[in-house]
Amino acid sequence: MIKLNNVQKIYDNNKQRVTALKNINLEIKSGEIYGIIGYSGAGKSTLIRLINMLENPTAGEIWVNGQRMDRLNNEKLRLARQKIGMIFQNFNLLSSRTVRQNIAFPLEIAGYPKEKIDKRVSELIKLVGLTERADAYPSELSGGQKQRVGIARALANNPEVLLSDEATSALDPKTTESILNLLWEINRKFGITIILITHEMHVIKKICHRVAVIDGGEIVEEGPVTEVFGNPKKEITKEFVKQVPVLSGND
Amino acid sequence: MLEYRELTQLLEATIETLYMLGLSGLLTVILGIPLGIMLFLTDKGQLLENSTLNRIIGLIVNVFRSIPFIILIVLIMPLTRVIVGTTIGPTAATVPLIIGATPFFARLVETALREVNKGVVEAAISMGANVFQIIWKVYLPEALPSILSGITVTLVALIGYSAMAGVVGGGGLGNMAIVYGYQMYNTPVMLSTTFVILLLVIFIQFLGDFLARKIDKK
Ligand SMILES: Nc1ncnc2c1ncn2[C@@H]1O[C@H](COP(=O)(O)OP(=O)(O)O)[C@@H](O)[C@H]1O
Ligand SMILES: [Mg+2]
């Protein structure tokens, strides 16, 4: 379970102060796919990056599986992060490593022996359907294939949580569809909690159980997807509902 | 044309130059990579941010980079004598060569590291990597093609420096060009030493470019 209590985040460079998150309270159950939707600059990335402490909260508490993340020392935080996978809009693969070596990376970090790494990597390559491309470099892959590598890499250490920061935003509709299907399958098969942020309504509609709408650093509406979008209360939620579905259901 | 005696001399001088280049190049790389890493990582917003340390290292690097090489050789002669026992000959020449080239190369390493995709570093942090793992498994392999180009540029600069070192008794091709070519009005010696230096530069540049292209998977 993930819990954020009264979380606030202010970016304070010596030039300017930006209040990115005002007062966030959030509870995400184990095994659910939780969507966070909002416009650019709303604070989505900040919110998701607080969960694995890529950003420090200015105030409040962050709990992941009973651990108070913002109170861990460096060593404990590194161990906790090994159980929280993350995927990115720009994939962030190592350009100097092949598909296989990229997926092996988090296992090397965690210090597994080579035979174990090889075995696990082969499993993962199969899971994401990249057996044919195992020895290719990222520069030789399509966007969808790169994100599959990103997903395999994020799953390598058997995480309990998967964080997805606009993971399909750089992809075309059809590829987006296949990546969302893969995430959905992973959630069902392994029961991994997925937190997914996006500015696209159809992504939420397709795979999320619950959703939070974030605007100006605040959660303005929250609940099961069907309820929030079936009966939108806030203006911004209504705007998202009005977004025409980009995908037809024929592939 | 060169006489037989001059030819063997040219060969000896070439070997001396290669020796100076090899030894000083190797040590410059060994010293310059950690120095470049420190310059980069202690900078603002980086993993080991430390503005005091960053300013100290940066100052030392800049001071040594701005001293003209020919003056550096003379300035550090006492140090050379302590390390090598003499200030004459190719081994003695490597001391100023290393001290002159290391700050230059360290800046190139720093630039190469700065070009590494921040998102990839962030991904590694999100996977629980420690600083050592991030340097060893992310920064260095990702920056390797650029670092290799930096090594090439540094070696070419070292050829120039080593010719200068030759002038003040370092031996090698520079020494031969000045002592036997220029001072004894021997044009063939002058031209042939220049030609060998030119060949060396072209060869190193070619090899460096080839290797950098080969390992670059971007
Ligand atoms: N490192 C940072 N320093 C200063 N301001 C930042 C930083 N990261 C984000 N911000 C600001 O915080 C706000 C929220 O940003 P972000 O969480 O990236 O929004 P979103 O992901 O919803 O587009 C924006 O105003 C952004 O400019
Ligand atoms: Mg964002």
Side-chain angles (χ1 to χ4, degrees):
Chain A
M1 196 177 71
I2 294 164
K3 226 170 137 180
L4 276 68
N5 292 336
N6 302 316
V7 168
Q8 188 195 39
K9 174 68 186 178
I10 299 172
Y11 290 106
D12 201 354
N13 318 344
N14 26 19
K15 286 204 199 95
Q16 51 170 359
R17 270 166 71 96
V18 180
T19 305
L21 294 175
K22 278 176 192 152
N23 185 25
I24 301 286
N25 286 286
L26 198 62
E27 213 179 297
I28 298 167
K29 294 192 211 82
S30 289
E32 78 178 335
I33 304 182
Y34 195 94
I36 296 167
I37 192 167
Y39 291 125
S40 177
K44 306 182 295 295
S45 293
T46 303
L47 178 52
I48 206 165
R49 292 158 57 84
L50 283 167
I51 295 171
N52 60 357
M53 293 294 293
L54 286 179
E55 302 288 353
N56 286 302
T58 308
E61 302 174 0
I62 292 157
W63 295 85
V64 177
N65 294 324
Q67 270 189 315
R68 174 92 187 260
M69 294 297 284
D70 53 300
R71 286 282 166 84
L72 295 178
N73 63 29
N74 279 342
E75 209 43 45
K76 289 224 172 86
L77 178 60
R78 295 205 309 103
L79 290 176
R81 279 173 172 161
Q82 291 174 8
K83 289 290 171 193
I84 305 175
M86 189 168 198
I87 56 178
F88 308 85
Q89 177 168 1
N90 299 317
F91 322 116
N92 294 343
L93 303 176
L94 285 114
S95 64
S96 55
R97 287 184 171 225
T98 62
V99 167
R100 186 180 290 283
Q101 292 164 341
N102 261 290
I103 301 173
F105 184 86
L107 298 163
E108 290 172 21
I109 296 298
Y112 286 103
K114 200 182 167 304
E115 315 82 67
K116 250 198 168 148
I117 294 180
D118 288 346
K119 189 163 161 280
R120 178 78 181 131
V121 169
S122 296
E123 272 171 33
L124 288 157
I125 289 180
K126 212 164 135 202
L127 174 76
V128 298
L130 283 177
T131 318
E132 239 83 296
R133 308 293 284 141
D135 295 311
Y137 285 91
S139 61
E140 303 163 335
L141 302 177
S142 71
Q145 289 172 330
K146 282 184 203 166
Q147 199 54 288
R148 284 171 185 272
V149 179
I151 292 171
R153 181 176 71 173
L155 295 179
N157 276 320
N158 292 307
E160 284 134 16
V161 180
L162 178 65
L163 307 175
S164 163
D165 189 347
E166 305 263 10
T168 59
S169 297
L171 306 175
D172 62 62
K174 210 167 163 170
T175 313
T176 294
E177 182 95 340
S178 77
I179 293 294
L180 292 177
N181 282 332
L182 178 61
L183 290 178
W184 192 67
E185 193 186 313
I186 285 162
N187 170 260
R188 273 211 335 186
K189 249 197 218 163
F190 309 114
I192 296 176
T193 312
I194 299 180
I195 300 164
L196 179 156
I197 66 180
T198 181
H199 61 276
E200 295 171 311
M201 174 73 188
H202 67 91
V203 171
I204 304 276
K205 268 200 159 159
K206 183 158 168 80
I207 63 167
C208 293
H209 303 124
R210 286 201 301 149
V211 64
V213 182
I214 182 168
D215 187 29
E218 284 178 299
I219 293 178
V220 293
E221 223 166 319
E222 202 260 351
V225 173
T226 42
E227 272 176 39
V228 172
F229 291 138
N231 183 18
K233 294 190 176 64
K234 294 280 170 20
E235 204 43 51
I236 180 174
T237 317
K238 288 177 187 161
E239 284 172 32
F240 279 117
V241 173
K242 266 189 277 177
Q243 282 184 4
V244 214
V246 188
L247 295 165
S248 51
N250 58 4
D251 66 310
Chain B
M1 277 311 299
L2 292 186
E3 291 168 22
Y4 177 74
R5 186 180 48 83
E6 289 166 344
L7 258 177
T8 50
Q9 229 173 15
L10 181 66
L11 187 69
E12 259 169 47
T14 306
I15 291 171
E16 267 178 7
T17 290
L18 285 175
Y19 165 75
M20 279 192 275
L21 208 60
L23 187 62
S24 58
L26 185 71
L27 282 162
T28 297
V29 169
I30 290 175
L31 297 172
I33 288 181
L35 193 61
I37 291 174
M38 284 310 282
L39 265 174
F40 172 66
L41 285 186
T42 57
D43 201 4
K44 198 161 185 290
Q46 304 303 336
L47 288 177
L48 300 175
E49 179 173 340
N50 183 329
S51 59
T52 315
L53 193 58
N54 187 264
R55 244 177 272 149
I56 292 172
I57 304 174
L59 184 73
I60 294 172
V61 163
N62 285 343
V63 164
F64 277 96
R65 275 218 308 165
S66 48
I67 301 175
F69 184 65
I70 202 88
I71 295 171
L72 185 73
I73 297 175
V74 180
L75 265 182
I76 63 160
M77 271 183 175
L79 178 70
T80 308
R81 189 170 290 119
V82 169
I83 298 175
V84 188
T86 171
T87 59
I88 305 290
T91 307
T94 57
V95 177
L97 285 176
I98 293 162
I99 292 177
T102 299
F104 172 75
F105 178 59
R107 282 288 182 206
L108 296 180
V109 171
E110 182 197 5
T111 308
L113 297 177
R114 219 172 274 291
E115 282 165 12
V116 170
N117 180 355
K118 274 196 164 134
V120 178
V121 175
E122 186 159 89
I125 295 172
S126 83
M127 288 180 249
N130 61 31
V131 175
F132 177 78
Q133 290 169 323
I134 292 171
I135 295 171
W136 193 244
K137 287 175 182 287
V138 181
Y139 275 121
L140 289 178
E142 290 289 294
L144 193 58
S146 301
I147 292 177
L148 206 67
S149 299
I151 293 177
T152 308
V153 172
T154 304
L155 283 178
V156 169
L158 274 173
I159 293 177
Y161 285 170
S162 78
M164 263 192 262
V167 177
V168 284
L173 291 163
N175 185 53
M176 186 171 172
I178 293 300
V179 175
Y180 298 93
Y182 178 68
Q183 286 168 0
M184 297 183 178
Y185 305 105
N186 187 336
T187 308
V189 165
M190 193 72 189
L191 289 180
S192 53
T193 47
T194 309
F195 182 68
V196 174
I197 290 175
L198 191 73
L199 275 185
L200 263 179
V201 170
I202 292 173
F203 174 72
I204 287 173
Q205 190 69 50
F206 173 81
L207 190 70
D209 288 349
F210 173 77
L211 288 175
R213 233 176 304 123
K214 201 171 154 116
I215 57 167
D216 193 356
K217 304 295 182 190
K218 260 186 235 123

